[in-house]
């Protein structure tokens, strides 16, 4: 690396350092003066830093790969409030702040919608954390001291601008896990938004936490100020699997 590139890197001008030869060639070709050259450097560094900031937030979000809403079949569910979904995707709820709860049987795209809400939040400059209910509670429950637990609670409650908790309702949890989830919801209550996905209506949440005294209070804090979006219909994944089996059978015949 040349001394100039090293100094640019030290100053944090990484994009300029990486593209220095091309920048010099372009400045020479276009006969830029000092002001034009500085404007070009400033513009490209700003774009590069914004890009790297999004990449860092995406990495920290634990979002992983996702399918965009362009692939969502709006015509498949028997019932879906598209206006409410699009409002959530536009992040209207984050300004209040409020929660979004997606209630649907398995295979109707609630996780896909939640992932796209999270992705849009990252693109808009928010810090986001995506996790499943089981991962969240396993992490919190594994802390071996009150201080360690408090640190992890801060990770979920204060560091993430948007917390997405996927798949509430697929497993049952004991009273301690219910208390841990209650702490997360309570600490974020009316301060920072949560997006939840669940396969069960709230009337059946007591089956998730059958012995928890805080179950009703937990539900109250989740649904207060919340946009509750119910999706009804048959599993889209099941339909795709059946169509795939039919196609394989047709090819064999």
């Amino acid at each position: 690396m040349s001394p100039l590139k090293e100094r640019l890197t030290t100053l944090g001008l990484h994009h300029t350092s990486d593209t220095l030869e091309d920048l010099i060639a372009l400045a020479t070709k276009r006969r830029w003066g000092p002001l034009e050259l500085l404007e070009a450097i400033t513009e490209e560094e700003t774009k590069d830093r914004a890009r790297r900031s999004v990449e860092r937030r995406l990495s920290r979000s634990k979002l992983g790969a996702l399918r965009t809403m362009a692939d969502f079949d709006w015509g498949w569910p028997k019932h879906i409030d598209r206006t409410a979904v699009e409002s959530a995707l536009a992040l209207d709820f984050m300004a209040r702040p409020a929660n979004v709860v997606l209630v649907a049987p398995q295979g109707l795209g609630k996780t896909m919608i939640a992932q796209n809400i999270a992705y849009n939040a990252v693109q808009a400059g928010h810090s986001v954390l995506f996790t499943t209910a089981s991962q969240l509670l396993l992490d919190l429950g594994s802390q071996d001291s009150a201080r360690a637990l408090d640190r992890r609670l801060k990770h979920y409650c204060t560091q993430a601008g948007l917390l997405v908790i996927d798949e509430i309702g697929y497993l049952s949890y004991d009273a301690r896990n219910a208390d841990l989830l209650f702490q997360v919801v309570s600490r974020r209550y009316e301060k920072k938004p949560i997006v939840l996905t669940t396969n069960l209506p709230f009337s059946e949440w007591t089956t998730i936490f059958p012995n928890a005294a805080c179950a009703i209070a937990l539900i109250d804090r989740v649904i207060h100020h919340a946009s509750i979006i119910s999706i009804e219909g048959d599993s889209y994944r099941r339909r795709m699997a059946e169509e795939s089996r039919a196609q394989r059978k047709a090819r064999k015949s």
Side-chain angles (χ1 to χ4, degrees), residues 136-137 140 153 157 175-189 194 209 212-222:
L136 170 72
L137 295 175
L140 293 176
L153 283 168
C157 300
R176 171 167 165 72
N177 280 302
D179 289 340
L180 290 172
L181 183 58
F182 179 75
Q183 285 196 56
V184 172
V185 171
S186 294
R187 290 192 184 197
R188 296 185 67 90
Y189 179 60
I194 302 175
F209 310 105
C214 66
I216 301 301
L218 171 63
I219 294 170
D220 285 344
R221 281 167 174 75
V222 167

Side-chain angles (χ1 to χ4, degrees), residues 226-245:
S227 174
I228 301 171
I229 303 172
S230 296
I231 309 173
E232 300 172 5
D234 300 320
S235 171
Y236 183 79
R237 287 196 294 270
R238 185 182 303 166
R239 185 191 76 169
M240 296 300 292
E242 290 172 353
E243 289 178 355
S244 179
R245 284 195 298 269

Side-chain angles (χ1 to χ4, degrees), residues 97-249:
N99 298 332
V100 173
V101 184
L102 295 154
V103 185
Q106 187 173 354
L108 279 171
K110 59 185 180 296
T111 295
M112 179 180 177
I113 294 171
Q115 286 177 318
N116 277 270
I117 293 171
Y119 179 80
N120 290 350
V122 169
Q123 293 293 327
H126 300 285
S127 58
V128 176
L129 184 58
F130 187 99
T131 184
T132 64
S134 59
Q135 289 170 338
L136 170 72
L137 295 175
L138 180 63
D139 182 22
L140 293 176
S142 66
Q143 304 306 310
D144 57 5
S145 69
R147 180 174 294 182
L149 175 59
D150 188 59
R151 282 198 301 267
R152 293 311 288 168
L153 283 168
K154 288 178 180 177
H155 172 69
Y156 292 108
C157 300
T158 61
Q159 294 177 14
L162 174 63
L163 176 64
V164 183
I165 306 176
D166 194 25
E167 297 182 348
I168 292 181
Y170 290 93
L171 297 172
S172 294
Y173 300 100
D174 60 18
R176 171 167 165 72
N177 280 302
D179 289 340
L180 290 172
L181 183 58
F182 179 75
Q183 285 196 56
V184 172
V185 171
S186 294
R187 290 192 184 197
R188 296 185 67 90
Y189 179 60
E190 295 187 328
K191 296 183 182 72
K192 294 188 177 184
I194 302 175
V195 173
L196 296 165
T197 76
T198 178
N199 63 317
L200 296 177
F202 291 110
S203 60
E204 297 181 25
W205 270 38
T206 51
T207 65
I208 307 173
F209 310 105
N211 300 309
C214 66
I216 301 301
L218 171 63
I219 294 170
D220 285 344
R221 281 167 174 75
V222 167
I223 66 176
H224 192 213
H225 307 309
S227 174
I228 301 171
I229 303 172
S230 296
I231 309 173
E232 300 172 5
D234 300 320
S235 171
Y236 183 79
R237 287 196 294 270
R238 185 182 303 166
R239 185 191 76 169
M240 296 300 292
E242 290 172 353
E243 289 178 355
S244 179
R245 284 195 298 269
Q247 290 172 359
R248 289 196 300 270
K249 186 176 180 180

